[in-house]
Amino acid sequence: MQARDFSAGLKAGTSIAIGYFPIALTFGLLAKTTGLTILEATAMSIFVFAGAAQYISLSLIASGVSPTVIVLNTFIVNIRHFLMTASLNEKMEPDSKWKKALYAFGVTDETFSILATGKGNRIPTAFAAGVILIAYGSWVTFTAVGHRVGASLPLFLQAAMSIALYAMFVGLLVPSMRGNRKVVMLALTAALFNSFFYFTGLLATGWAILVATLASSIFIEIVYARKGKS
Amino acid sequence: MDAWYWWMILGMAIVTYIPRAIPLTFLEGRELPKPVQNVLRNIPYAVLGALIFPAIFFIQENIWFGVIGATAAFGLAFSGANVMIVVLGSIAVLAGFSLLL
């Protein structure tokens, strides 16, 4: 039974593994252009396993932001997983704490979406393990491959690839903006706050992103609460 | 890179793991206040807005890289392309542009 749940998990996680392929590849490649060694880049994927946060850390490293601020930024970006794991808790089969603590590491936006929408009342732990293992394997493997491939790329292509990170953010943001005015307002307000900090030089990059994110998340929430349709 | 990098990875790993692990292990059955939940839900979209602007315009010293790249990325994304196509397409457009320079 457990073996069957596990292989069903592997199967369900395959779509994530495929989706991670280009993003992890680009991460490895960008890490190389940022100056990280293959070991450092891969280690980040092994120990952190958080796409957006890892991309952000690269752009912050590139702009010389202090490690403390990068860690703080990572926290702010990933604190949303708190919500996800809180709701996942209702969905997963009850199991020993150490097992839950183990698979908690593998909860990303993508694995969460598979688990949270899974059929049946309770998701077996073995199923979650399968989903997470294949997604994680893809993420780590293709980080290393991306770094390796990056070495042999011509300079004009490496210059063109500096857009990759931002293109990914745009690709993630735009579909959520369709038909959702709140998402548009959130992104716009945060963009304005951050541009203000950038052009006035009031805050360093990492802090500016952090303050802009929190300020707009709270501000828009208040606006929508007033309108009474949050 | 230096030792600070490994300390940073350790820090990133810890602060990433904590929000993932606490609800599953210690907060069983408890609920966060509604306004807090709502604000947390807003964060992914807000952070993307702040990440993209204004940095997307300054990816290279030549500002046209940023302007053309941003146009390509938004154009592709609005046309309904998935993330992979948006990333690869924007790179292709800029590769073409830098070959023309």
Side-chain angles (χ1 to χ4, degrees):
Chain A
M1 195 61 196
Q2 272 204 347
R4 201 188 301 159
D5 286 334
F6 181 72
S7 60
L10 285 179
K11 214 169 149 192
T14 306
S15 63
I16 303 179
I18 294 170
Y20 276 175
F21 165 76
I23 306 177
L25 207 68
T26 314
F27 173 76
L29 221 145
L30 280 172
K32 178 167 175 57
T33 62
T34 310
L36 303 186
T37 65
I38 191 164
L39 187 67
E40 289 166 342
T42 314
M44 195 191 276
S45 284
I46 289 173
F47 293 113
V48 183
F49 190 32
Q54 287 182 226
Y55 270 98
I56 296 161
S57 79
L58 285 186
S59 58
L60 295 183
I61 290 170
S63 36
V65 170
S66 88
T68 318
V69 175
I70 295 177
V71 171
L72 206 65
N73 235 298
T74 305
F75 182 63
I76 294 290
V77 172
N78 287 334
I79 202 165
R80 69 180 188 281
H81 289 145
F82 193 93
L83 267 187
M84 296 181 187
T85 44
S87 76
L88 203 57
N89 208 21
E90 314 292 314
K91 186 86 185 170
M92 300 300 300
E93 73 172 347
D95 211 327
S96 49
K97 264 193 184 153
W98 71 268
K99 280 186 191 165
K100 295 179 97 176
L102 203 64
Y103 70 65
F105 173 80
V107 178
T108 63
D109 298 352
E110 293 78 16
T111 56
F112 167 78
S113 66
I114 295 262
L115 295 175
T117 57
K119 276 175 279 173
N121 267 345
R122 292 284 180 171
I123 303 285
T125 302
F127 181 83
V131 171
I132 284 164
L133 215 68
I134 194 165
Y136 183 61
S138 163
W139 183 249
V140 171
T141 308
F142 290 114
T143 297
V145 171
H147 194 285
R148 191 97 183 93
V149 166
S152 50
L153 286 176
L155 277 178
F156 82 93
L157 206 53
Q158 293 193 23
M161 281 188 167
S162 53
I163 193 69
L165 155 68
Y166 299 101
M168 189 197 71
F169 292 148
V170 170
L172 289 174
L173 178 63
V174 167
S176 331
M177 287 165 81
R178 288 167 184 275
N180 193 333
R181 185 170 295 183
K182 193 175 180 184
V183 168
V184 176
M185 294 309 296
L186 280 165
L188 256 159
T189 318
L192 285 175
F193 272 124
N194 194 47
S195 299
F196 171 76
F197 293 136
Y198 182 90
F199 289 111
T200 56
L202 215 57
L203 291 173
T205 312
W207 288 106
I209 289 172
L210 196 151
V211 173
T213 300
L214 275 180
S216 69
S217 295
I218 294 168
F219 173 72
I220 295 295
E221 202 47 52
I222 292 170
V223 170
Y224 271 74
R226 286 246 171 93
K227 281 206 223 156
K229 57 175 180 181
S230 177
Chain B
M1 213 141 286
D2 316 308
W4 69 262
Y5 180 82
W6 296 96
W7 287 110
M8 185 191 77
I9 286 210
L10 180 68
M12 287 175 72
I14 293 170
V15 300
T16 302
Y17 181 66
I18 286 173
R20 288 174 177 173
I22 284 181
L24 279 168
T25 50
F26 293 108
L27 286 183
E28 277 187 48
R30 266 185 247 174
E31 272 228 337
L32 292 167
K34 197 83 188 152
V36 176
Q37 286 191 32
N38 289 337
V39 170
L40 288 178
R41 215 167 277 148
N42 288 345
I43 283 179
Y45 309 113
V47 82
L48 284 172
L51 283 170
I52 296 169
F53 297 103
I56 194 169
F57 296 118
F58 307 116
I59 53 169
Q60 299 283 318
E61 275 186 28
N62 183 346
I63 186 110
W64 285 105
F65 267 88
V67 174
I68 293 170
T71 311
F74 274 97
L76 284 164
F78 273 109
S79 77
N82 71 22
V83 180
M84 189 160 106
I85 304 293
V86 174
V87 172
L88 297 178
S90 310
I91 292 171
V93 168
L94 277 186
F97 172 68
S98 61
L99 277 180
L100 286 178
L101 280 182

